[in-house]
Structures are given as structure tokens and as C-alpha cells.
Amino acid sequence: MNRRMVVAVAAVLLAVGPALGQLGYVECSTGFQGSPVMDGGRTELEFADINNDGNMDILSIGDHGNPYINTQEHGVMVWFGDGHGGWSVFQYGDFGYGGIAIGDVNWDGKWDIGYGMHHNYSGVDLGDDMLEVALGDGTGQMWTAWDDSLVPGGSVWGEFSTDFADVDNDGDLDVGSTSFGYGLVDQVFLNRGDGTWQHSYGASDSSNNNMEFYFRDVNRDGNVDFISASSAASVCFGDGAGGFTPCDTGLPTSSYGLSGISPGDVDNDGGCDVAFANAAGGVEVWVYNDSTRRWQSWSGTLPTSGSFEGTQLCDMNADGFIDLCALGAGHTKVWLGDGDGNWTEAADITTPSPGYYTALRTGADFDHNGYPDIALIADEGSYPSDKNVAHAFRESSATGSLSIFPVFPRGGEKLMDGSVQFIDWWSAAPGAESTRVKLELSTTGRSGPWQPVVDTLRNAGRYQWLVPQGIVSGDCYVRYTVSGPGGTDEGMTPRAFIIGDTVLGAAESHRPQATDFKPGATVVSGVLVMPEARGEKRESRGELLDVAGRKVMALRPGPNDVSHVAPGVYFVRERSAVSREPSAVSVRKVVIQ
């Protein structure tokens, strides 16, 4: 891919400071800003190719002006993208003011929505409850309620930020949401597959919340966790059955919940970390340490104070390392990350004052140039005439030759077989309307063999994937192939990820293992002894892995000096030289004292 940054000259260019010059953004808000005119209060934006035309769209259920409260907002709002940064809005329903999630909850191949809201004013089934799921018809212009047994109207107020994930690993998407005040704060419901839902988790109703909620896997056990701007707990680990336990040891706390909290894999270990705005208006990034089971700061030189209120973690320059976006007081800044906790400011987008945070979302490529773009809503103008204003910004590099960049999975993740996951990518695609993407899976390393996942998919950047049953492998890769008028390009997951119930980073098959290999004692001190290889049964070398699946050192037959290795639990992995089957991998646990 051509990665040279080109700052476009345009009448509505919001320029990066001259001393920075690393990322450039052009405003592309035509049809998004003022369509419709908004009111005030928080809202949430999400991205999806909702009508399957290959271009990214923006969805919301609006702010406090929805429905028809001093505005023309109403119901579900879809801003259809034209692939070049232009938008046209369509609205459906008579409800609003809240958060939104997108996924295919009934596996009919069409994107559906879930939303938590405050204004459940509809007189019909669609829009009369505080938390709902609605089926889409593939056009983005029609929604049908599919929400029995979810949070009803009258029992709670102010449901808001919402997300989908396969919480119980049963092959369908479940829904979670949080409120913006006292009430049923963090709530999770399991999908029964027939339009009814089973409540599986609810946080204390005495908690406050700053209206952020995400499903992600933080500790890489294959079970979905959630990240919330709740005063009860910012992170809760899932048990794979719908239950959750607080696990935010080490994280700062707030009686109102951490402002603008967002997820992303900052240290490239396969688990999600977090960013947020602190009480002084600065921005912080924290990563989860699997070994200590504590959170630790990776904020580096990020500003410790300021006026920031919302964050997003995303690889903004597509270099394989997560970057940080933050919004507050009319500035949206981007800091580039290096995967080691170091940050370099790369862009400062300015919007009219006061520019308070209402919504911020990154990760979608509006114009098919291979880089993620930004959508935001900010409170602008002078009180009492201030109002929310929507903005979209596309990264301004010219579209190069046809290429594809894997976004998720990136490596180190653990995905349970039989669960629902999302495969994501960005693609530089001249003539994007006629480009198609093929996805394939290897469970035996980078060389394959490859099994098809999907063929001739529109090049919109996301595919909902049902992970095949019965796979147990720590050597999995997705291969992405994009083809079109500009030719063909391939991308591949840069590091192995895991499928199935196995140790992190290694394939520990539940099928019978060879018994002629015993890598020294279970507990070792200073020296790890590996037996000599016999015949052609095994390779002559193995690897010592930490609990995150990262290679610590190569192992050779005979004594290996491990005195320099920190004490703890490790795994020895060795593969048969004559078989590529996952069952030919021998994995043993050792404890180094």
C-alpha cells in the first residue's frame, strides 16, 4: 500500500498544525451536519454498511431533540455514505435520545440494531421500551421490533450506550447497555434466538454512569468482558455464561464513572486496554497486565490536564499500533502510539467553540483510501442558543493502488469456537463499488491450508463471522484478498490468534498427545532440561512461552539456562516435524522459581 501522507487542498480543510504534519483531515460533513438540525445532550454514533452498497454509513438515535423536541429528529437516523465523504439522511420511527449498536442478531445476512434510550415515546412496539433490538430489512429504511423481555418503559430511566457481542459463546449476538443516571446501570441480556431475551446481569442501581459501554475481551480468555463508564466498576470480566465480575484493580476511580472511556489493544497482546479523560481534563491510557492481574498506566507524555471529555483508541495511521483520539473544548487531537506506551501528537482538528463532547467515533474508512476517519458531534454556540453540531472528517491521503489492511483479528486474541466475531479491515480501493473481498482461515500457520470463510463480499470493512466448531489451535490466521479493476492484493493477520479452549498463545489439544516428550520437571530453578530429539518424531528445538503466548526464548535439547527469566508460569511448545495437525503440537506447563 502507498502510505505517503498527502494533505489535500480544499476549501473546508481543517489543517493539522504545521509543526506536526503527520496526519491531515478534510471535513466532509455535507449532508451530515444540519441534516437534521440537532438539540443538546449526549448521543452515540456507529458505523456500518447498512444498505450493503460497499460504502460506510453513520447511524444514531439522536440527542435530546429526538423525537421532534424543537427539532426534526425522529427515530433511527441513517446517514448513507456515498464513498467520497458525502451523506444523505433517512429517519424512521418516533423515539430517541440514546445509544446504538449494530450487528446481525438473527443471522439473516442483514444488519440489525440495538439501542438504549430515554425518549420511548412511540405508541407502537418499535420505540416504546427503554432498551430495544430491531431487525433491519437490508435497506436501512425499515426496522421491526425484536425486543420482548428487554428493559420496558416505566421501570427505569435513561438507558443509553449499547453494544452487541456473543456473551455466552452460543453463536448469536447478545445485547448490553448502560444508563446515564441512577437506575438499571449496566445490563446484559442473552439472545434466545426468537425475539425474546433473558436477563443475565445487572449492576447496582445506586451507581452513576458517564454513558459509555463496550463489549470486548480484556483478559484474553475467549469470554466477552465489558468496559463501562460506571462508578460501580469500569471493567467486568465475563464467565462465558452471562455473568460478570468487577476487575478494575489499579484503575483510577470516579464517583461518576470514567469520562469518555474507550477500548483498544494498545500493547498488541490480543486483549483490550482502555483510554479515558481524567478529572483534570487530561487523557490517560491504561493496559491490563495478565501476570499481575492489575491495570497499569501507559499514558507516557499524554497531557495530564486540559479540557478533554471523550476518547477513542484506533490505529489512525494504519501502522499496526493503536493510536489515541480525544475530543474536548473544540479540539480533536490524535496521538500516535508505538505499542510501548509512547505517544506523539500528530493532528489537531478544530471545531467551533465551545466544542464540548457529545459523541466521537473512529474506525470507519469513509472514502476508501485505506485509513480510518472520524465522526463527532459537539456542542457549539453561546448559551442559551447553543446546540449540537455534527462533523465528519476523512483522512486526506490520496487513494493509492488497491490494497487491504487487516484490523481484527491482529494476533494474540482468543476466540471461542462456535462464537460470533467480527472480522475487520481497511482497504485502499480505487473504483470501490466494484471491488470484492475474500476471507479465508488457516488453523495451522501462515502457510495454510486455507479454508473459505466468505467469498465476493462487498469491500465495506466488516464481516460478521461464526467461528467454526471443533477447532482447537493457537496458530490461526485470516487471509484477506481484495480484487477489482485495480488488480488484486492480499493481507494476512500479522500474528497468530487462538481458536478454542486452549492456553494463551499455544495449541493445547484436547485430543490425545504424544507421551514420549517430557520437558524436564514441572517446577524448575535455573535450568530447564529438554530431552534429546528421537528420530524424526520431533523437531530438535522448542520454545518457551509466557502466559500471554509470547516467545520468551528458544529451547534446545539438553539443559537450557533460564536463570535470567522472571519467576512464574510458562509453557513449553514443540511441534512434530512430520505433521502440521494441531494435535501434533505438544504443550506443557512449567513453573520457574
Side-chain angles (χ1 to χ4, degrees):
M1 179 183 291
N2 178 7
R3 291 295 180 191
R4 191 174 70 179
M5 300 297 178
V6 180
V7 179
V9 178
V12 288
L13 175 64
L14 291 197
V16 179
L20 302 175
Q22 299 179 57
L23 285 173
Y25 293 94
V26 176
E27 183 155 13
C28 55
S29 300
T30 301
F32 182 45
Q33 185 176 116
S35 300
V37 172
M38 306 189 83
D39 183 31
R42 287 279 301 280
T43 186
E44 189 172 68
L45 302 172
E46 288 293 349
F47 302 134
D49 178 12
I50 206 72
N51 59 347
N52 195 35
D53 68 348
N55 299 318
M56 196 58 64
D57 309 310
I58 304 174
L59 284 82
S60 178
I61 62 165
D63 63 8
H64 190 271
N66 195 1
Y68 297 115
I69 302 174
N70 302 316
T71 74
Q72 293 302 307
E73 296 177 75
H74 66 96
V76 183
M77 295 184 285
V78 179
W79 290 271
F80 293 103
D82 64 5
H84 305 284
W87 312 93
S88 58
V89 70
F90 186 89
Q91 303 180 82
Y92 184 90
D94 192 19
F95 55 88
Y97 186 25
I100 192 167
I102 302 170
D104 185 356
V105 297
N106 63 341
W107 281 111
D108 67 349
K110 301 167 185 174
W111 292 120
D112 311 312
I113 56 174
Y115 44 92
M117 62 178 166
H118 191 33
H119 294 165
N120 58 325
Y121 299 159
S122 173
V124 297
D125 194 11
L126 183 74
D128 65 347
D129 291 332
M130 290 293 182
L131 177 62
E132 296 190 338
V133 172
L135 302 181
D137 68 350
T139 69
Q141 300 184 23
M142 175 70 72
W143 307 98
T144 303
W146 211 64
D147 60 355
D148 291 348
S149 309
L150 289 173
V151 177
S155 70
V156 67
W157 63 281
E159 285 299 301
F160 218 84
S161 181
T162 306
D163 205 1
F164 283 134
D166 189 354
V167 170
D168 52 357
N169 297 312
D170 68 345
D172 54 32
L173 289 176
D174 309 305
V175 67
S177 183
T178 195
S179 75
F180 59 66
Y182 276 67
L184 299 177
V185 183
D186 298 320
Q187 300 293 309
V188 177
F189 292 82
L190 304 181
N191 185 352
R192 289 174 168 159
D194 58 0
T196 65
W197 302 80
Q198 176 185 343
H199 186 251
S200 73
Y201 176 83
S204 167
D205 63 4
S206 62
S207 304
N208 287 307
N209 195 284
N210 254 319
M211 294 173 279
E212 311 283 355
F213 184 94
Y214 300 90
F215 280 128
R216 295 293 190 276
D217 186 4
V218 173
N219 60 344
R220 294 173 301 140
D221 65 350
N223 298 321
V224 171
D225 312 314
F226 72 73
I227 295 166
S228 171
S230 169
S231 62
S234 300
V235 180
C236 287
F237 285 174
D239 61 6
F244 293 87
T245 303
C247 192
D248 52 3
T249 303
L251 272 178
T253 59
S254 168
S255 59
Y256 294 97
L258 297 177
S259 296
I261 196 169
S262 62
D265 184 4
V266 175
D267 55 359
N268 269 339
D269 68 350
C272 262
D273 309 305
V274 298
F276 55 87
N278 63 31
V283 283
E284 301 184 21
V285 173
W286 289 68
V287 301
Y288 183 70
N289 187 312
D290 294 293
S291 299
T292 63
R293 299 184 180 181
R294 294 180 60 89
W295 291 85
Q296 61 188 63
S297 176
W298 271 37
S299 301
T301 57
L302 291 171
T304 58
S305 62
S307 303
F308 295 103
E309 301 170 284
T311 70
Q312 288 279 279
L313 288 169
C314 180
D315 184 1
M316 301 301 291
N317 62 345
D319 69 346
F321 299 108
I322 290 293
D323 309 313
L324 172 64
C325 236
L327 167 62
H331 290 268
T332 301
K333 291 196 175 188
V334 178
W335 292 269
L336 302 181
D338 65 355
D340 287 319
N342 302 305
W343 306 93
T344 304
E345 187 176 332
D348 184 358
I349 301 171
T350 59
T351 49
S353 64
Y356 300 138
Y357 166 64
T358 297
L360 174 66
R361 197 60 93 224
T362 60
D365 182 3
F366 301 155
D367 57 350
H368 302 286
N369 76 336
Y371 292 93
D373 302 314
I374 300 171
L376 63 91
I377 298 177
D379 181 16
E380 299 173 7
S382 300
Y383 178 82
S385 300
D386 59 317
K387 63 184 178 183
N388 285 334
V389 178
H391 298 272
F393 301 94
R394 60 179 179 84
E395 199 283 323
S396 57
S397 296
T399 302
S401 58
L402 185 67
S403 63
I404 194 162
F405 180 84
V407 174
F408 186 90
R410 292 289 298 170
E413 302 91 353
K414 182 175 181 179
L415 314 179
M416 299 303 293
D417 57 322
S419 69
V420 181
Q421 304 291 334
F422 294 98
I423 298 176
D424 295 322
W425 67 93
W426 298 316
S427 176
E433 294 79 5
S434 56
T435 61
R436 295 294 182 270
V437 170
K438 177 171 67 173
L439 302 174
E440 300 166 283
L441 172 69
S442 169
T443 60
T444 55
R446 299 179 63 88
S447 299
W450 298 93
Q451 52 187 283
V453 173
V454 66
D455 203 353
T456 63
L457 190 68
R458 285 195 179 272
N459 189 14
R462 166 159 283 201
Y463 175 71
Q464 183 172 306
W465 179 37
L466 183 62
V467 181
Q469 290 274 9
I471 295 176
V472 181
S473 173
D475 208 11
C476 299
Y477 292 82
V478 171
R479 183 166 68 183
Y480 305 67
T481 304
V482 60
S483 57
T488 300
D489 187 57
E490 284 187 2
M492 190 185 302
T493 308
R495 300 176 305 279
F497 63 93
I498 303 157
I499 294 179
D501 192 9
T502 180
V503 298
L504 288 169
E508 187 176 46
S509 175
H510 293 296
R511 291 171 284 188
Q513 300 281 347
T515 59
D516 61 333
F517 176 61
K518 296 180 174 63
T522 302
V523 180
V524 300
S525 179
V527 176
L528 172 63
V529 178
M530 288 181 57
E532 299 289 333
R534 297 181 180 179
E536 294 183 350
K537 284 189 176 182
R538 296 192 173 274
E539 297 175 335
S540 61
R541 294 181 183 274
E543 295 174 325
L544 184 68
L545 308 174
D546 66 12
V547 293
R550 293 180 287 255
K551 181 179 175 181
V552 175
M553 62 180 290
L555 300 174
R556 69 183 192 284
N560 292 265
D561 181 7
V562 293
S563 60
H564 63 286
V565 177
V569 176
Y570 294 83
F571 295 90
V572 173
R573 174 172 64 183
E574 190 157 344
R575 182 185 294 279
S576 168
V578 294
S579 175
R580 303 297 294 178
E581 292 296 322
S583 59
V585 175
S586 178
V587 178
R588 292 296 194 75
K589 180 161 62 176
V590 297
V591 178
I592 297 179
Q593 293 185 337

